[in-house]
Amino acid sequence: MTIVRKSSGVKFQKSRPNLWFEKIMAIIAVINLLLVIFDLSYVPIRDFWLHGQIRLGNLRSAYVSIPGIKLDIIPDDISQFILQYDNVKGIVPNRTTEKYLSKVAELEQKLETTKINDPEIIPILSDLRRRSVEMIQNDAFEEAGKSGNLERLKNIMREYLPNEEQSSKQAFWQFWSVNYLQNNTTAKLAFFNDEIKPLIETNYYRHIGETGGYVDNFGFLDFPFGAIFALEFLARTWLISRTRTGVSWIDAMLWRWYDVFFFLPFWRWLRVIPTSVRLQRSRLLPLNIGNRIQKQISQGIVAGIAEDITEVVVIRIINQLQISIRQGDISNLLAERNQNGYIDINNTNETAEIIKIFANTMVDRVLPKIQPEAEALLQYSLQKAIQQSPAYQGVSFLPGGKTAVSSLTKQLVSQTYSGFAAALKAVLEEDKKFEQLLESLFTNVNQSFVSEIKARQSLNQIETLLVDLLEEIKINYVERLSAEDVEQILEQTRSIRKITQN
């Protein structure tokens, strides 16, 4: 360990060999993640690896045709090298379309030395017409999930050789005929090689294994990475358990739970989680980028499970309340203070003490602060009541009568309010006799209330109604609560965090 001394104290920094090990493991993790991404995307984008080009703005249908722009991205030799990955995914050429293209190649080879109307050419054209119809009727592209390419192929042929029935079969039948190919044979075959042949080449057959699924040998490529990370996981967690006090080997494994994704044979895409963590800790990524990646991953996990957790927790609470009500916990709560089995941990009547605290707060703090407003309200109410009396009507005609009544009312209200506050304060002072009387009052009220409810059989009705009410809440509102927009909650959380940081 190297020590870095600063004015604020002594800080320890990881030794350089340990940091280099973290960087090496992070690079291996990135390589493995890229391999996983390539494997997961290989079959869906195999057409791109096959031809090494993309089309922009290309749209074809039976009614609309918009020519696109072809962009060559990958050279042919690199495309052929990448296509060797077909062996890993168990992909081989489809026999039907492969034989079809072989017949076309045979036709082109024959035309180099003979003419289109030569007797050797006629059987080949007849065979191509038959194969074209079979390819369309039997949908030779369906097994590979390439039926969309077959539809594109049919649309191109309908557009190239329109007919009254708008039939792609009839278009192919006409295309592979002597009468049609005898003029501009080279240009017409060039059309086939540029537009039709690339679509036919995308078709393939994928072997099925004994398990019933497609053959996939990616596990053989992934095994060395899994073995490396599994051994590193065992060694690292063992070292953590040896260097951390009170941490067992199992605890250390749970501590590094995210590393398990490196050697799981399924859900391989989840390896983005430990890879981002390793890139951050190895300092191969800037700290802020690493933190953002980790934060987005954690928020995504939270958003995914928050709805389920919310629903489970709320339903669990409501079910527990219903069980407690059915078991008679309401009556027990009301009556058990008077039973010998009730445990009092501090020899104090908490209900009475809470009421005293509220009363003292009201007398010492609240009543003095609200005195002007309270007196004004009382004075207004009293004056209004006096003004409506017949006696006030006679006094008001006397000189100074209204002023005298107003002054008397104000004085009466002030003295009454002050007297009430003083009396209440005197009552709340330490007085054992008062506390005994208050305790006795609460006890009698509690006993009377419980006995009356039980005597009239109201408690069972109350419990039944409460259980039904909770069931209605669970049905009508819990689903709304769980379906609340989790992303909106996360957005509010981020806003609050930003405000607190500023």
Side-chain angles (χ1 to χ4, degrees), residues 11-44:
K11 293 186 178 181
F12 292 91
Q13 188 180 13
K14 289 185 178 180
S15 61
R16 193 173 297 274
N18 188 25
L19 184 59
W20 275 109
F21 175 76
E22 294 290 345
K23 289 183 176 181
I24 292 173
M25 295 304 297
I27 293 173
I28 296 175
V30 170
I31 295 173
N32 179 241
L33 180 62
L34 293 176
L35 183 61
V36 168
I37 294 173
F38 174 78
D39 177 77
L40 294 176
S41 63
Y42 179 77
V43 174

Side-chain angles (χ1 to χ4, degrees), residues 386-405:
I386 293 173
Q387 289 173 1
Q388 294 176 356
S389 64
Y392 178 78
Q393 302 298 329
V395 175
S396 62
F397 289 105
L398 298 176
K402 292 183 178 181
T403 304
V405 172

